[in-house]
PDB file of all heavy atoms in Angstrom:
ATOM      1  N   TRP A   1     108.337 104.417  92.657  1.00 94.00           N
ATOM      2  CA  TRP A   1     108.127 103.159  93.364  1.00 94.00           C
ATOM      3  C   TRP A   1     106.966 102.416  92.697  1.00 94.00           C
ATOM      4  O   TRP A   1     106.036 103.034  92.189  1.00 94.00           O
ATOM      5  CB  TRP A   1     107.769 103.416  94.816  1.00 94.00           C
ATOM      6  CG  TRP A   1     108.777 104.220  95.582  1.00 94.00           C
ATOM      7  CD1 TRP A   1     108.830 105.578  95.667  1.00 94.00           C
ATOM      8  CD2 TRP A   1     109.855 103.716  96.366  1.00 94.00           C
ATOM      9  NE1 TRP A   1     109.887 105.951  96.454  1.00 94.00           N
ATOM     10  CE2 TRP A   1     110.532 104.837  96.903  1.00 94.00           C
ATOM     11  CE3 TRP A   1     110.314 102.440  96.668  1.00 94.00           C
ATOM     12  CZ2 TRP A   1     111.647 104.709  97.731  1.00 94.00           C
ATOM     13  CZ3 TRP A   1     111.424 102.310  97.492  1.00 94.00           C
ATOM     14  CH2 TRP A   1     112.078 103.424  98.015  1.00 94.00           C
ATOM     15  N   ARG A   2     107.023 101.085  92.729  1.00 91.00           N
ATOM     16  CA  ARG A   2     105.929 100.283  92.191  1.00 91.00           C
ATOM     17  C   ARG A   2     105.320  99.424  93.300  1.00 91.00           C
ATOM     18  O   ARG A   2     106.040  98.697  94.002  1.00 91.00           O
ATOM     19  CB  ARG A   2     106.404  99.370  91.056  1.00 91.00           C
ATOM     20  CG  ARG A   2     105.250  98.610  90.401  1.00 91.00           C
ATOM     21  CD  ARG A   2     105.670  97.859  89.135  1.00 91.00           C
ATOM     22  NE  ARG A   2     106.370  96.634  89.448  1.00 91.00           N
ATOM     23  CZ  ARG A   2     107.653  96.394  89.128  1.00 91.00           C
ATOM     24  NH1 ARG A   2     108.356  97.332  88.528  1.00 91.00           N
ATOM     25  NH2 ARG A   2     108.215  95.240  89.432  1.00 91.00           N
ATOM     26  N   ALA A   3     104.028  99.516  93.470  1.00 87.00           N
ATOM     27  CA  ALA A   3     103.306  98.697  94.446  1.00 87.00           C
ATOM     28  C   ALA A   3     102.621  97.560  93.714  1.00 87.00           C
ATOM     29  O   ALA A   3     101.907  97.793  92.742  1.00 87.00           O
ATOM     30  CB  ALA A   3     102.267  99.546  95.175  1.00 87.00           C
ATOM     31  N   GLU A   4     102.845  96.350  94.175  1.00 86.00           N
ATOM     32  CA  GLU A   4     102.200  95.170  93.609  1.00 86.00           C
ATOM     33  C   GLU A   4     101.265  94.568  94.655  1.00 86.00           C
ATOM     34  O   GLU A   4     101.668  94.324  95.795  1.00 86.00           O
ATOM     35  CB  GLU A   4     103.230  94.140  93.173  1.00 86.00           C
ATOM     36  CG  GLU A   4     104.088  94.600  91.995  1.00 86.00           C
ATOM     37  CD  GLU A   4     105.081  93.547  91.569  1.00 86.00           C
ATOM     38  OE1 GLU A   4     105.491  92.736  92.433  1.00 86.00           O
ATOM     39  OE2 GLU A   4     105.442  93.514  90.382  1.00 86.00           O
ATOM     40  N   VAL A   5     100.030  94.322  94.288  1.00 84.00           N
ATOM     41  CA  VAL A   5      99.039  93.738  95.183  1.00 84.00           C
ATOM     42  C   VAL A   5      98.848  92.281  94.812  1.00 84.00           C
ATOM     43  O   VAL A   5      98.676  91.950  93.633  1.00 84.00           O
ATOM     44  CB  VAL A   5      97.696  94.492  95.073  1.00 84.00           C
ATOM     45  CG1 VAL A   5      96.645  93.853  95.972  1.00 84.00           C
ATOM     46  CG2 VAL A   5      97.888  95.962  95.420  1.00 84.00           C
ATOM     47  N   ALA A   6      98.888  91.409  95.811  1.00 76.00           N
ATOM     48  CA  ALA A   6      98.709  89.968  95.577  1.00 76.00           C
ATOM     49  C   ALA A   6      97.565  89.439  96.415  1.00 76.00           C
ATOM     50  O   ALA A   6      97.192  90.027  97.441  1.00 76.00           O
ATOM     51  CB  ALA A   6      99.991  89.211  95.912  1.00 76.00           C
ATOM     52  N   ASP A   7      96.998  88.308  95.985  1.00 69.00           N
ATOM     53  CA  ASP A   7      95.938  87.679  96.760  1.00 69.00           C
ATOM     54  C   ASP A   7      96.552  86.816  97.861  1.00 69.00           C
ATOM     55  O   ASP A   7      97.775  86.813  98.061  1.00 69.00           O
ATOM     56  CB  ASP A   7      94.995  86.890  95.858  1.00 69.00           C
ATOM     57  CG  ASP A   7      95.679  85.714  95.175  1.00 69.00           C
ATOM     58  OD1 ASP A   7      96.793  85.314  95.592  1.00 69.00           O
ATOM     59  OD2 ASP A   7      95.106  85.176  94.200  1.00 69.00           O
ATOM     60  N   ALA A   8      95.711  86.083  98.578  1.00 64.00           N
ATOM     61  CA  ALA A   8      96.194  85.289  99.711  1.00 64.00           C
ATOM     62  C   ALA A   8      97.170  84.205  99.286  1.00 64.00           C
ATOM     63  O   ALA A   8      97.987  83.750 100.084  1.00 64.00           O
ATOM     64  CB  ALA A   8      95.010  84.664 100.450  1.00 64.00           C
ATOM     65  N   GLY A   9      97.116  83.794  98.023  1.00 67.00           N
ATOM     66  CA  GLY A   9      98.039  82.784  97.528  1.00 67.00           C
ATOM     67  C   GLY A   9      99.270  83.370  96.872  1.00 67.00           C
ATOM     68  O   GLY A   9     100.019  82.665  96.197  1.00 67.00           O
ATOM     69  N   ASP A  10      99.493  84.680  97.074  1.00 71.00           N
ATOM     70  CA  ASP A  10     100.627  85.413  96.512  1.00 71.00           C
ATOM     71  C   ASP A  10     100.589  85.523  94.989  1.00 71.00           C
ATOM     72  O   ASP A  10     101.610  85.719  94.348  1.00 71.00           O
ATOM     73  CB  ASP A  10     101.969  84.802  96.941  1.00 71.00           C
ATOM     74  CG  ASP A  10     102.361  85.227  98.349  1.00 71.00           C
ATOM     75  OD1 ASP A  10     101.725  86.163  98.871  1.00 71.00           O
ATOM     76  OD2 ASP A  10     103.285  84.631  98.915  1.00 71.00           O
ATOM     77  N   ALA A  11      99.411  85.374  94.395  1.00 74.00           N
ATOM     78  CA  ALA A  11      99.273  85.600  92.958  1.00 74.00           C
ATOM     79  C   ALA A  11      99.070  87.090  92.718  1.00 74.00           C
ATOM     80  O   ALA A  11      98.206  87.716  93.345  1.00 74.00           O
ATOM     81  CB  ALA A  11      98.090  84.817  92.397  1.00 74.00           C
ATOM     82  N   ARG A  12      99.863  87.675  91.823  1.00 80.00           N
ATOM     83  CA  ARG A  12      99.775  89.107  91.561  1.00 80.00           C
ATOM     84  C   ARG A  12      98.406  89.476  90.998  1.00 80.00           C
ATOM     85  O   ARG A  12      97.921  88.847  90.071  1.00 80.00           O
ATOM     86  CB  ARG A  12     100.865  89.534  90.593  1.00 80.00           C
ATOM     87  CG  ARG A  12     102.268  89.310  91.131  1.00 80.00           C
ATOM     88  CD  ARG A  12     103.306  90.055  90.309  1.00 80.00           C
ATOM     89  NE  ARG A  12     103.093  89.916  88.872  1.00 80.00           N
ATOM     90  CZ  ARG A  12     103.466  90.831  87.969  1.00 80.00           C
ATOM     91  NH1 ARG A  12     104.057  91.928  88.368  1.00 80.00           N
ATOM     92  NH2 ARG A  12     103.276  90.623  86.687  1.00 80.00           N
ATOM     93  N   MET A  13      97.818  90.536  91.563  1.00 82.00           N
ATOM     94  CA  MET A  13      96.492  90.982  91.142  1.00 82.00           C
ATOM     95  C   MET A  13      96.531  92.317  90.412  1.00 82.00           C
ATOM     96  O   MET A  13      95.825  92.515  89.429  1.00 82.00           O
ATOM     97  CB  MET A  13      95.573  91.116  92.364  1.00 82.00           C
ATOM     98  CG  MET A  13      95.285  89.839  93.094  1.00 82.00           C
ATOM     99  SD  MET A  13      94.260  88.714  92.140  1.00 82.00           S
ATOM    100  CE  MET A  13      92.803  89.710  91.861  1.00 82.00           C
ATOM    101  N   ALA A  14      97.319  93.259  90.930  1.00 88.00           N
ATOM    102  CA  ALA A  14      97.314  94.614  90.387  1.00 88.00           C
ATOM    103  C   ALA A  14      98.600  95.314  90.776  1.00 88.00           C
ATOM    104  O   ALA A  14      99.357  94.839  91.633  1.00 88.00           O
ATOM    105  CB  ALA A  14      96.104  95.396  90.913  1.00 88.00           C
ATOM    106  N   GLU A  15      98.840  96.462  90.136  1.00 90.00           N
ATOM    107  CA  GLU A  15     100.006  97.256  90.492  1.00 90.00           C
ATOM    108  C   GLU A  15      99.737  98.725  90.214  1.00 90.00           C
ATOM    109  O   GLU A  15      98.806  99.085  89.480  1.00 90.00           O
ATOM    110  CB  GLU A  15     101.244  96.808  89.713  1.00 90.00           C
ATOM    111  CG  GLU A  15     101.194  97.126  88.228  1.00 90.00           C
ATOM    112  CD  GLU A  15     102.495  96.776  87.519  1.00 90.00           C
ATOM    113  OE1 GLU A  15     103.344  96.110  88.116  1.00 90.00           O
ATOM    114  OE2 GLU A  15     102.635  97.185  86.346  1.00 90.00           O
ATOM    115  N   ARG A  16     100.546  99.572  90.841  1.00 92.00           N
ATOM    116  CA  ARG A  16     100.530 100.995  90.561  1.00 92.00           C
ATOM    117  C   ARG A  16     101.920 101.550  90.846  1.00 92.00           C
ATOM    118  O   ARG A  16     102.718 100.929  91.543  1.00 92.00           O
ATOM    119  CB  ARG A  16      99.496 101.742  91.391  1.00 92.00           C
ATOM    120  CG  ARG A  16      99.851 101.883  92.873  1.00 92.00           C
ATOM    121  CD  ARG A  16      99.178 103.091  93.495  1.00 92.00           C
ATOM    122  NE  ARG A  16      99.545 104.311  92.784  1.00 92.00           N
ATOM    123  CZ  ARG A  16      99.181 105.534  93.160  1.00 92.00           C
ATOM    124  NH1 ARG A  16      98.434 105.691  94.226  1.00 92.00           N
ATOM    125  NH2 ARG A  16      99.554 106.591  92.486  1.00 92.00           N
ATOM    126  N   THR A  17     102.229 102.711  90.289  1.00 92.00           N
ATOM    127  CA  THR A  17     103.477 103.391  90.611  1.00 92.00           C
ATOM    128  C   THR A  17     103.151 104.671  91.356  1.00 92.00           C
ATOM    129  O   THR A  17     102.067 105.251  91.195  1.00 92.00           O
ATOM    130  CB  THR A  17     104.284 103.717  89.342  1.00 92.00           C
ATOM    131  OG1 THR A  17     103.535 104.603  88.509  1.00 92.00           O
ATOM    132  CG2 THR A  17     104.637 102.446  88.584  1.00 92.00           C
ATOM    133  N   LEU A  18     104.093 105.122  92.177  1.00 92.00           N
ATOM    134  CA  LEU A  18     103.877 106.337  92.948  1.00 92.00           C
ATOM    135  C   LEU A  18     105.205 106.933  93.396  1.00 92.00           C
ATOM    136  O   LEU A  18     106.225 106.240  93.472  1.00 92.00           O
ATOM    137  CB  LEU A  18     102.977 106.090  94.148  1.00 92.00           C
ATOM    138  CG  LEU A  18     103.435 105.164  95.277  1.00 92.00           C
ATOM    139  CD1 LEU A  18     102.522 105.350  96.481  1.00 92.00           C
ATOM    140  CD2 LEU A  18     103.409 103.701  94.880  1.00 92.00           C
ATOM    141  N   LEU A  19     105.172 108.232  93.656  1.00 92.00           N
ATOM    142  CA  LEU A  19     106.342 108.950  94.159  1.00 92.00           C
ATOM    143  C   LEU A  19     106.239 109.217  95.648  1.00 92.00           C
ATOM    144  O   LEU A  19     107.228 109.150  96.374  1.00 92.00           O
ATOM    145  CB  LEU A  19     106.498 110.288  93.414  1.00 92.00           C
ATOM    146  CG  LEU A  19     107.013 110.229  91.987  1.00 92.00           C
ATOM    147  CD1 LEU A  19     106.915 111.604  91.341  1.00 92.00           C
ATOM    148  CD2 LEU A  19     108.464 109.735  91.975  1.00 92.00           C
ATOM    149  N   ASP A  20     105.052 109.574  96.109  1.00 95.00           N
ATOM    150  CA  ASP A  20     104.839 109.947  97.502  1.00 95.00           C
ATOM    151  C   ASP A  20     103.443 109.496  97.892  1.00 95.00           C
ATOM    152  O   ASP A  20     102.452 110.044  97.414  1.00 95.00           O
ATOM    153  CB  ASP A  20     104.984 111.465  97.660  1.00 95.00           C
ATOM    154  CG  ASP A  20     104.832 111.922  99.106  1.00 95.00           C
ATOM    155  OD1 ASP A  20     104.632 111.065  99.984  1.00 95.00           O
ATOM    156  OD2 ASP A  20     104.898 113.145  99.342  1.00 95.00           O
ATOM    157  N   GLY A  21     103.356 108.471  98.707  1.00 95.00           N
ATOM    158  CA  GLY A  21     102.042 107.972  99.094  1.00 95.00           C
ATOM    159  C   GLY A  21     102.141 106.648  99.816  1.00 95.00           C
ATOM    160  O   GLY A  21     103.218 106.237 100.253  1.00 95.00           O
ATOM    161  N   ALA A  22     101.011 105.990  99.944  1.00 96.00           N
ATOM    162  CA  ALA A  22     100.946 104.772 100.740  1.00 96.00           C
ATOM    163  C   ALA A  22     100.008 103.760 100.117  1.00 96.00           C
ATOM    164  O   ALA A  22      99.123 104.104  99.329  1.00 96.00           O
ATOM    165  CB  ALA A  22     100.471 105.106 102.156  1.00 96.00           C
ATOM    166  N   VAL A  23     100.225 102.499 100.482  1.00 95.00           N
ATOM    167  CA  VAL A  23      99.323 101.406 100.123  1.00 95.00           C
ATOM    168  C   VAL A  23      99.097 100.564 101.377  1.00 95.00           C
ATOM    169  O   VAL A  23     100.052 100.159 102.038  1.00 95.00           O
ATOM    170  CB  VAL A  23      99.904 100.516  99.008  1.00 95.00           C
ATOM    171  CG1 VAL A  23      98.952  99.358  98.708  1.00 95.00           C
ATOM    172  CG2 VAL A  23     100.159 101.320  97.743  1.00 95.00           C
ATOM    173  N   ALA A  24      97.834 100.340 101.710  1.00 93.00           N
ATOM    174  CA  ALA A  24      97.493  99.495 102.858  1.00 93.00           C
ATOM    175  C   ALA A  24      96.508  98.432 102.400  1.00 93.00           C
ATOM    176  O   ALA A  24      95.629  98.704 101.580  1.00 93.00           O
ATOM    177  CB  ALA A  24      96.894 100.326 103.983  1.00 93.00           C
ATOM    178  N   THR A  25      96.665  97.232 102.931  1.00 88.00           N
ATOM    179  CA  THR A  25      95.817  96.106 102.543  1.00 88.00           C
ATOM    180  C   THR A  25      95.124  95.521 103.759  1.00 88.00           C
ATOM    181  O   THR A  25      95.741  95.307 104.799  1.00 88.00           O
ATOM    182  CB  THR A  25      96.652  95.019 101.854  1.00 88.00           C
ATOM    183  OG1 THR A  25      97.231  95.564 100.666  1.00 88.00           O
ATOM    184  CG2 THR A  25      95.797  93.822 101.485  1.00 88.00           C
ATOM    185  N   SER A  26      93.836  95.253 103.611  1.00 84.00           N
ATOM    186  CA  SER A  26      93.057  94.559 104.633  1.00 84.00           C
ATOM    187  C   SER A  26      92.448  93.323 103.994  1.00 84.00           C
ATOM    188  O   SER A  26      91.940  93.389 102.871  1.00 84.00           O
ATOM    189  CB  SER A  26      91.966  95.484 105.179  1.00 84.00           C
ATOM    190  OG  SER A  26      91.290  94.874 106.266  1.00 84.00           O
ATOM    191  N   SER A  27      92.519  92.192 104.695  1.00 80.00           N
ATOM    192  CA  SER A  27      92.046  90.939 104.107  1.00 80.00           C
ATOM    193  C   SER A  27      91.430  90.040 105.167  1.00 80.00           C
ATOM    194  O   SER A  27      91.858  90.034 106.325  1.00 80.00           O
ATOM    195  CB  SER A  27      93.219  90.215 103.430  1.00 80.00           C
ATOM    196  OG  SER A  27      92.824  88.930 102.985  1.00 80.00           O
ATOM    197  N   THR A  28      90.442  89.276 104.765  1.00 78.00           N
ATOM    198  CA  THR A  28      89.858  88.255 105.640  1.00 78.00           C
ATOM    199  C   THR A  28      90.358  86.864 105.284  1.00 78.00           C
ATOM    200  O   THR A  28      89.951  85.877 105.897  1.00 78.00           O
ATOM    201  CB  THR A  28      88.321  88.259 105.533  1.00 78.00           C
ATOM    202  OG1 THR A  28      87.944  87.922 104.186  1.00 78.00           O
ATOM    203  CG2 THR A  28      87.743  89.624 105.889  1.00 78.00           C
ATOM    204  N   ALA A  29      91.238  86.770 104.305  1.00 68.00           N
ATOM    205  CA  ALA A  29      91.644  85.460 103.783  1.00 68.00           C
ATOM    206  C   ALA A  29      92.664  84.757 104.671  1.00 68.00           C
ATOM    207  O   ALA A  29      92.756  83.526 104.647  1.00 68.00           O
ATOM    208  CB  ALA A  29      92.206  85.615 102.377  1.00 68.00           C
ATOM    209  N   LEU A  30      93.449  85.486 105.438  1.00 65.00           N
ATOM    210  CA  LEU A  30      94.552  84.870 106.158  1.00 65.00           C
ATOM    211  C   LEU A  30      94.257  84.645 107.641  1.00 65.00           C
ATOM    212  O   LEU A  30      94.516  83.573 108.166  1.00 65.00           O
ATOM    213  CB  LEU A  30      95.807  85.739 106.011  1.00 65.00           C
ATOM    214  CG  LEU A  30      96.322  85.890 104.574  1.00 65.00           C
ATOM    215  CD1 LEU A  30      97.516  86.829 104.532  1.00 65.00           C
ATOM    216  CD2 LEU A  30      96.678  84.538 103.995  1.00 65.00           C
ATOM    217  N   ARG A  31      93.736  85.629 108.323  1.00 63.00           N
ATOM    218  CA  ARG A  31      93.487  85.505 109.761  1.00 63.00           C
ATOM    219  C   ARG A  31      92.058  85.026 109.977  1.00 63.00           C
ATOM    220  O   ARG A  31      91.149  85.798 110.222  1.00 63.00           O
ATOM    221  CB  ARG A  31      93.747  86.852 110.451  1.00 63.00           C
ATOM    222  CG  ARG A  31      95.204  87.273 110.385  1.00 63.00           C
ATOM    223  CD  ARG A  31      95.414  88.696 110.849  1.00 63.00           C
ATOM    224  NE  ARG A  31      94.968  88.900 112.222  1.00 63.00           N
ATOM    225  CZ  ARG A  31      94.924  90.096 112.801  1.00 63.00           C
ATOM    226  NH1 ARG A  31      95.286  91.170 112.138  1.00 63.00           N
ATOM    227  NH2 ARG A  31      94.511  90.210 114.053  1.00 63.00           N
ATOM    228  N   ARG A  32      91.896  83.710 109.904  1.00 59.00           N
ATOM    229  CA  ARG A  32      90.584  83.085 110.047  1.00 59.00           C
ATOM    230  C   ARG A  32      90.655  81.957 111.075  1.00 59.00           C
ATOM    231  O   ARG A  32      91.713  81.367 111.284  1.00 59.00           O
ATOM    232  CB  ARG A  32      90.092  82.522 108.712  1.00 59.00           C
ATOM    233  CG  ARG A  32      89.983  83.541 107.599  1.00 59.00           C
ATOM    234  CD  ARG A  32      89.418  82.919 106.340  1.00 59.00           C
ATOM    235  NE  ARG A  32      88.006  82.604 106.500  1.00 59.00           N
ATOM    236  CZ  ARG A  32      87.024  83.450 106.162  1.00 59.00           C
ATOM    237  NH1 ARG A  32      87.308  84.636 105.673  1.00 59.00           N
ATOM    238  NH2 ARG A  32      85.761  83.098 106.306  1.00 59.00           N
ATOM    239  N   TRP A  33      89.528  81.637 111.684  1.00 52.00           N
ATOM    240  CA  TRP A  33      89.459  80.537 112.628  1.00 52.00           C
ATOM    241  C   TRP A  33      88.016  80.024 112.659  1.00 52.00           C
ATOM    242  O   TRP A  33      87.114  80.639 112.089  1.00 52.00           O
ATOM    243  CB  TRP A  33      89.906  80.977 114.020  1.00 52.00           C
ATOM    244  CG  TRP A  33      89.080  82.092 114.600  1.00 52.00           C
ATOM    245  CD1 TRP A  33      87.991  81.980 115.401  1.00 52.00           C
ATOM    246  CD2 TRP A  33      89.296  83.501 114.408  1.00 52.00           C
ATOM    247  NE1 TRP A  33      87.495  83.218 115.723  1.00 52.00           N
ATOM    248  CE2 TRP A  33      88.282  84.166 115.133  1.00 52.00           C
ATOM    249  CE3 TRP A  33      90.240  84.250 113.704  1.00 52.00           C
ATOM    250  CZ2 TRP A  33      88.187  85.554 115.164  1.00 52.00           C
ATOM    251  CZ3 TRP A  33      90.145  85.631 113.740  1.00 52.00           C
ATOM    252  CH2 TRP A  33      89.135  86.269 114.468  1.00 52.00           C
ATOM    253  N   ARG A  34      87.811  78.912 113.319  1.00 65.00           N
ATOM    254  CA  ARG A  34      86.471  78.323 113.397  1.00 65.00           C
ATOM    255  C   ARG A  34      85.923  78.502 114.803  1.00 65.00           C
ATOM    256  O   ARG A  34      86.643  78.376 115.793  1.00 65.00           O
ATOM    257  CB  ARG A  34      86.501  76.838 113.027  1.00 65.00           C
ATOM    258  CG  ARG A  34      86.911  76.600 111.575  1.00 65.00           C
ATOM    259  CD  ARG A  34      86.762  75.145 111.168  1.00 65.00           C
ATOM    260  NE  ARG A  34      85.374  74.714 111.120  1.00 65.00           N
ATOM    261  CZ  ARG A  34      84.550  74.969 110.099  1.00 65.00           C
ATOM    262  NH1 ARG A  34      84.987  75.665 109.060  1.00 65.00           N
ATOM    263  NH2 ARG A  34      83.317  74.532 110.104  1.00 65.00           N
ATOM    264  N   VAL A  35      84.634  78.817 114.880  1.00 64.00           N
ATOM    265  CA  VAL A  35      83.959  78.985 116.168  1.00 64.00           C
ATOM    266  C   VAL A  35      82.745  78.075 116.195  1.00 64.00           C
ATOM    267  O   VAL A  35      82.186  77.700 115.158  1.00 64.00           O
ATOM    268  CB  VAL A  35      83.520  80.455 116.383  1.00 64.00           C
ATOM    269  CG1 VAL A  35      84.727  81.367 116.471  1.00 64.00           C
ATOM    270  CG2 VAL A  35      82.598  80.920 115.260  1.00 64.00           C
ATOM    271  N   THR A  36      82.333  77.722 117.390  1.00 64.00           N
ATOM    272  CA  THR A  36      81.154  76.880 117.569  1.00 64.00           C
ATOM    273  C   THR A  36      80.041  77.716 118.179  1.00 64.00           C
ATOM    274  O   THR A  36      80.220  78.338 119.233  1.00 64.00           O
ATOM    275  CB  THR A  36      81.472  75.681 118.476  1.00 64.00           C
ATOM    276  OG1 THR A  36      82.558  74.936 117.899  1.00 64.00           O
ATOM    277  CG2 THR A  36      80.248  74.779 118.621  1.00 64.00           C
ATOM    278  N   GLY A  37      78.900  77.746 117.520  1.00 62.00           N
ATOM    279  CA  GLY A  37      77.773  78.529 117.986  1.00 62.00           C
ATOM    280  C   GLY A  37      77.010  77.830 119.096  1.00 62.00           C
ATOM    281  O   GLY A  37      77.303  76.683 119.460  1.00 62.00           O
ATOM    282  N   PRO A  38      76.011  78.515 119.669  1.00 64.00           N
ATOM    283  CA  PRO A  38      75.199  77.934 120.751  1.00 64.00           C
ATOM    284  C   PRO A  38      74.511  76.637 120.351  1.00 64.00           C
ATOM    285  O   PRO A  38      74.245  75.786 121.199  1.00 64.00           O
ATOM    286  CB  PRO A  38      74.167  79.036 121.045  1.00 64.00           C
ATOM    287  CG  PRO A  38      74.783  80.296 120.524  1.00 64.00           C
ATOM    288  CD  PRO A  38      75.608  79.882 119.340  1.00 64.00           C
ATOM    289  N   ASP A  39      74.244  76.498 119.034  1.00 66.00           N
ATOM    290  CA  ASP A  39      73.582  75.280 118.560  1.00 66.00           C
ATOM    291  C   ASP A  39      74.563  74.156 118.256  1.00 66.00           C
ATOM    292  O   ASP A  39      74.169  73.080 117.796  1.00 66.00           O
ATOM    293  CB  ASP A  39      72.757  75.581 117.316  1.00 66.00           C
ATOM    294  CG  ASP A  39      73.610  76.165 116.185  1.00 66.00           C
ATOM    295  OD1 ASP A  39      74.821  76.406 116.416  1.00 66.00           O
ATOM    296  OD2 ASP A  39      73.064  76.375 115.084  1.00 66.00           O
TER     297      ASP A  39
END
């Protein structure tokens, strides 16, 4: 199997091959929002 990692704009960044294993991605680029502070 080949795992391809992409950035938030779906541009390919890296890849690896594997037979038995996993790939998990965590990102701050997509789930973002704006908050207003006390000031």
Side-chain angles (χ1 to χ4, degrees):
W1 303 88
R2 185 171 78 244
E4 293 181 332
V5 178
D7 64 15
D10 280 347
R12 298 194 315 152
M13 296 291 301
E15 69 175 11
R16 72 154 303 185
T17 62
L18 65 167
L19 286 172
D20 182 1
V23 178
T25 298
S26 186
S27 173
T28 63
L30 297 177
R31 295 170 59 187
R32 302 183 71 92
W33 60 93
R34 296 187 68 80
V35 295
T36 302
D39 58 356

